[in-house]
Amino acid sequence: MNAPQQVRGACPHDCPDTCSLVTTVVDGVATRVQGNPAHRPTDGVLCAKVSRYAERTYHPGRVLRPLRRVGPKGSGRFEAVSWDEALQDIASRLSAIAARDPQAILPYSYCGTMGWVQGDGMASRFFHRLGASLLDRTICSVAGSAAMVHTLGAKVGMKVEFFAEAKLILIWGSNSITSNLHFWRLAQEAKRRGARLVCIDPRRTETAEKCHEHLQILPGTDAALALALMHELVRNDWLDHDYIARHTLGWEALRERALRWSPERAAATCGIDAQRIRELARDYGTLRPAAIRLNYGMQRVHGGGNAARAVACLPALVGAWRDRAGGVLLSSSGWATLDRAAVQRPDLLAGRTPRSINMVTIGDDLQRPASPAFGPRVEAVVVYNSNPVAVAPESAQVVRGFAREDLFTVVLEHFRTDTADYADYVLPATTQLEHWDLHTAYGHTDVLLNRPAIAPLGEARPNSQIFRDLAARMGFADACFADSDEAICRQACAGRVDFDELLQNGFAPLPVPDAPFAEGRFPTPSGRCEFFSAALARQGLDGLPDHVPNHEAFGSSPRYPLAMISPPARNFLNSTFVNVDALRAIEGEPLLEIHPQDAQARGIEDGTPVRVFNDRGEYHCKAQVCERARPGVVNGLGVWWRKLGMAGTNVNQLTSQRLTDLGGGPVFYDCLVDVQPA
Ligand code: SF4
């Protein structure tokens, strides 16, 4: 046995923490994946999910050879074929479609890996060169991202490490213990130093339980709460007038709007007590420094963009940005200005402007006929880094779309997911331990390099190589298709990040100021924090943030009296890890949390199998009667693979394809249902 080697990498998952990994390799086998103690944000600790990354990599269910469908779509029946056979057939079928109209080919991908190379690196080059439809990658964060851009100027905010110095932390729409573990460690440190922690969340999460205070508001009412906080800041003059005058835009108009939101009015909207809003406003107006950790759950409703904008206005009102431990953080990804164009090569479009399809409405769009407004019918879908049959809203429509016999579907995957079952070809992709990649983060401000720790298993190939191979078969002779993965990493970093430092340490910090907006200088058109956004007004939208009620507002339907949110189950990350037996064993079965009052009214006991339903479909799971759910709201924990859930369903049977106010994002948490014993 050779001496164990340690290889530095980066966690590829859709999580703000972007941990630095150290993989121990013995004789070519990865034996352990651990957190890198030298990387400050990781601090030597990984979450329980990725601690099992070696188990996931060597999972007996890995797809390790190209597969071709032999059964009906959805049956999951395949035969193994050679790479040559698979690539040749895929290339010739895509070429035939492209000869008619390349826009009839749709790439479908998201953050199955966050890497710049295996995500949308070589893939974007390929689809740009082809002239395929563009995908509007909206399914997670777009409403909140638009909110930050239109308020602060970019997806930027305070540096995460300074939360440890705050005296008040609002954890807004985030179950940090589950989905932002390393921030939670900093919040705990602040708590030990005397900080007050307040959680704002419709669910009594593990995080909410450990905060001093929990405001369990109704889903989609965050903007009403933020406006009422502003109301109280004005009434009590807990304002930083100097900061407002010098560094904000639109205060008079926002002030007037906020004064319409008394705590009583907001309390009635949010379903909480007005006194608790007054007390929170007092804390926010008087405790210094005050920091807000906003996360994406709260923006998955109709008014999600407005709500995130309303929250993002708060720090400027009290001058919180003056202190490095004050402000707000939704995403830090805007600090990472690596060279995206060098990686994705939009110039390969060569003047063409393909249509763009919103990934949220894939269910309807796969079934749409050709029309002047829509363009050609979608004839082929190439799915990578995503599992839309499980994660896209309104599953019944998504399944119907992918079940089309005349749709040619190629899926690059590690496993036979719900989506892979509908593929004509499943191509075996490498995991993070088997390839190069480059990562930026949205929860800290370091860049990380992922080196391969082991050789690809079986016949698996990196996504980048699969698109390189397809490009070659389709006759794309452009030199960029010969770039190696390491070369693409270097191109992204050129002139911006020291690549030698990445090779040496595995990570490199970006030069971000400690208190970026202490003196204003927001990257907005006005250089100020824009309470009023002229850019939004020009689009015919409200230039000021406001409360925008849910599409399916609580209390608006006698048939569906319960609001449902679908936060992630603790041991899954979106739909990733559902097939890792050890993690699924902890989760047990798909659960619906329901308040004792709502359960009793329906004859439901703890552990009762239930059907949750609305006009879009029904979802089968088990009831967990508990106070994690507030009265009137049920929590359907996701995202189970349909075939590993109950009755072949998951929670997205019930969610809708409607969109958010800003950015065209999904409204997973804007969903009315009712529940019965099954
Ligand atoms: S999922 Fe998040 S917390 Fe877990 S290892 Fe990856 S980056 Fe770290």
Side-chain angles (χ1 to χ4, degrees):
M1 187 173 88
N2 293 312
Q5 279 181 300
Q6 298 210 307
V7 182
R8 279 188 285 267
C11 175
H13 291 295
D14 188 358
C15 167
D17 297 21
T18 312
C19 289
S20 173
L21 309 180
V22 179
T23 302
T24 304
V25 181
V26 182
D27 290 335
V29 176
T31 56
R32 202 162 181 198
V33 180
Q34 292 168 285
N36 183 353
H39 183 238
R40 207 166 139 209
T42 305
D43 199 18
V45 175
L46 302 181
C47 63
K49 299 170 281 245
V50 175
S51 301
R52 297 182 185 274
Y53 203 83
E55 185 181 332
R56 186 176 182 277
T57 296
Y58 294 109
H59 191 292
R62 270 288 294 276
V63 177
L64 294 175
R65 294 189 64 187
L67 301 175
R68 181 168 56 202
R69 179 167 70 91
V70 292
K73 289 215 170 183
S75 67
R77 284 171 43 211
F78 297 97
E79 63 180 359
V81 292
S82 70
W83 269 108
D84 265 353
E85 227 177 321
L87 289 169
Q88 196 51 49
D89 193 25
I90 294 167
S92 74
R93 292 181 71 169
L94 292 183
S95 297
I97 296 169
R100 293 191 291 278
D101 187 341
Q103 294 179 102
I105 299 167
L106 176 68
Y108 196 96
S109 71
Y110 200 65
C111 292
T113 172
M114 300 284 289
W116 280 59
V117 179
Q118 310 305 340
D120 284 301
M122 192 57 86
S124 288
R125 294 179 180 188
F126 175 79
F127 289 111
H128 285 149
R129 174 67 177 76
L130 185 60
S133 283
L134 301 173
L135 184 74
D136 201 3
R137 290 185 170 79
T138 52
I139 205 159
C140 178
S141 61
V142 73
S145 301
M148 292 301 123
V149 168
H150 289 296
T151 311
L152 307 180
K155 291 194 277 179
V156 292
M158 54 181 294
K159 289 173 88 169
V160 70
E161 55 263 44
F162 299 131
F163 275 90
E165 298 171 7
K167 285 288 171 271
L168 173 71
I169 302 179
L170 307 191
I171 301 176
W172 201 316
S174 171
N175 184 4
S176 310
I177 292 176
T178 293
S179 57
N180 195 187
L181 179 66
H182 296 81
F183 156 76
W184 177 247
R185 288 160 62 88
L186 297 165
Q188 290 293 97
E189 193 180 325
K191 193 178 178 190
R192 283 193 293 276
R193 294 182 190 173
R196 184 168 173 75
L197 268 49
V198 179
C199 184
I200 299 164
D201 199 310
R203 178 173 181 243
R204 188 156 182 82
T205 59
E206 297 88 338
T207 306
E209 275 172 350
K210 291 188 169 55
C211 288
H212 296 100
E213 176 90 19
H214 174 209
L215 271 66
Q216 200 168 7
I217 63 174
L218 286 164
T221 63
D222 305 74
L225 176 60
L227 287 161
L229 294 178
M230 292 179 202
H231 178 281
E232 288 301 283
L233 296 176
V234 173
R235 287 280 182 220
N236 294 285
D237 198 22
W238 290 319
L239 297 167
D240 185 331
H241 293 283
D242 175 63
Y243 195 92
I244 291 171
R246 290 201 293 135
H247 304 310
T248 72
L249 184 74
W251 170 231
E252 281 310 313
L254 181 61
R255 181 178 182 279
E256 199 180 303
R257 180 160 293 178
L259 287 174
R260 291 188 222 141
W261 281 92
S262 66
E264 284 71 21
R265 181 182 174 199
T269 303
C270 299
I272 56 171
D273 192 78
Q275 184 56 23
R276 301 191 56 201
I277 299 178
R278 282 196 196 89
E279 286 165 9
L280 179 60
R282 181 206 58 214
D283 287 347
Y284 192 70
T286 58
L287 294 175
R288 294 278 175 278
I292 303 174
R293 181 63 174 113
L294 191 59
N295 214 336
Y296 287 109
M298 55 85 78
Q299 47 96 69
R300 294 188 187 123
V301 293
H302 181 200
N306 266 271
R309 240 168 83 60
V311 175
C313 291
L314 289 167
L317 294 179
V318 297
W321 291 114
R322 291 183 190 277
D323 195 298
R324 69 181 191 174
V328 62
L329 175 65
L330 174 64
S331 169
S332 57
S333 64
W335 297 118
T337 52
L338 304 193
D339 196 343
R340 196 171 293 280
V343 173
Q344 300 189 349
R345 298 291 306 271
D347 57 295
L348 293 168
L349 283 168
R352 296 167 294 179
T353 50
R355 63 148 173 219
S356 191
I357 289 185
N358 188 333
M359 68 189 301
V360 173
T361 54
I362 184 72
D364 284 349
D365 289 338
L366 285 182
Q367 298 177 74
R368 232 179 269 287
S371 73
F374 181 63
R377 184 167 170 79
V378 177
E379 293 183 54
V381 192
V382 182
V383 180
Y384 53 104
N385 305 329
S386 185
N387 181 8
V389 171
V391 305
E394 204 174 351
S395 309
Q397 299 307 325
V398 182
V399 167
R400 213 166 282 154
F402 274 98
R404 268 177 50 200
E405 269 304 323
D406 63 342
L407 180 74
F408 180 57
T409 302
V410 179
V411 175
L412 283 60
E413 251 305 347
H414 302 146
F415 298 106
R416 283 158 72 159
T417 60
D418 288 336
T419 306
D421 284 348
Y422 287 86
D424 293 283
Y425 282 97
V426 184
L427 302 180
T430 46
T431 69
Q432 190 77 343
L433 301 190
E434 302 156 74
H435 56 225
W436 283 90
D437 218 332
L438 182 76
H439 288 260
T440 49
Y442 62 98
H444 60 71
T445 51
D446 294 349
V447 178
L448 287 84
L449 183 68
N450 186 75
R451 289 178 186 246
I454 57 173
L457 298 192
E459 297 180 22
R461 295 183 182 179
N463 286 354
S464 54
Q465 187 58 40
I466 297 172
F467 286 110
R468 242 180 235 116
D469 293 341
L470 279 173
R473 304 254 171 184
M474 292 179 71
F476 299 165
D478 313 67
C480 68
F481 291 109
D483 290 342
S484 70
D485 291 354
E486 185 187 338
I488 298 173
C489 294
R490 287 179 183 273
Q491 289 160 4
C493 293
R496 292 163 160 93
V497 177
D498 181 350
F499 200 76
D500 289 337
E501 190 180 347
L502 286 177
L503 285 170
Q504 171 92 19
N505 300 332
F507 58 88
L510 292 162
V512 177
D514 284 356
F517 309 128
E519 293 300 326
R521 293 199 280 266
F522 291 89
T524 53
S526 64
R528 292 168 173 244
C529 176
E530 295 199 345
F531 301 151
F532 176 80
S533 164
L536 289 178
R538 275 197 300 276
Q539 293 171 39
L541 300 170
D542 193 345
L544 291 173
D546 203 353
H547 168 61
V548 176
N550 277 3
H551 292 297
E552 300 182 8
F554 177 72
S556 65
S557 164
R559 289 173 65 210
Y560 302 119
L562 298 171
M564 187 189 76
I565 60 171
S566 42
R570 184 168 180 170
N571 292 284
F572 304 155
L573 204 158
N574 302 325
S575 72
T576 309
F577 297 107
V578 180
N579 65 323
V580 175
D581 295 345
L583 294 170
R584 196 170 69 256
I586 302 171
E587 290 299 327
E589 286 176 292
L591 293 179
L592 183 86
E593 295 170 349
I594 182 167
H595 190 270
Q597 231 168 274
D598 294 320
Q600 199 187 9
R602 291 165 176 79
I604 292 168
E605 290 177 6
D606 195 42
T608 302
V610 291
R611 58 182 280 270
V612 193
F613 58 97
N614 61 19
D615 288 341
R616 290 178 287 271
E618 64 180 52
Y619 167 45
H620 290 257
C621 56
K622 280 216 170 144
Q624 185 166 52
V625 180
C626 61
E627 298 198 355
R628 285 210 190 280
R630 56 158 290 158
V633 179
V634 290
N635 311 320
L637 305 185
V639 179
W640 281 74
W641 291 13
R642 292 159 56 84
K643 61 183 170 186
L644 297 177
M646 290 169 69
T649 63
N650 78 10
V651 73
N652 282 320
Q653 289 289 135
L654 306 168
T655 52
S656 84
Q657 297 180 70
R658 299 177 84 167
L659 303 176
T660 54
D661 52 351
L662 302 182
V667 294
F668 290 116
Y669 297 2
D670 181 344
C671 178
L672 291 180
V673 299
D674 204 354
V675 188
Q676 285 176 349

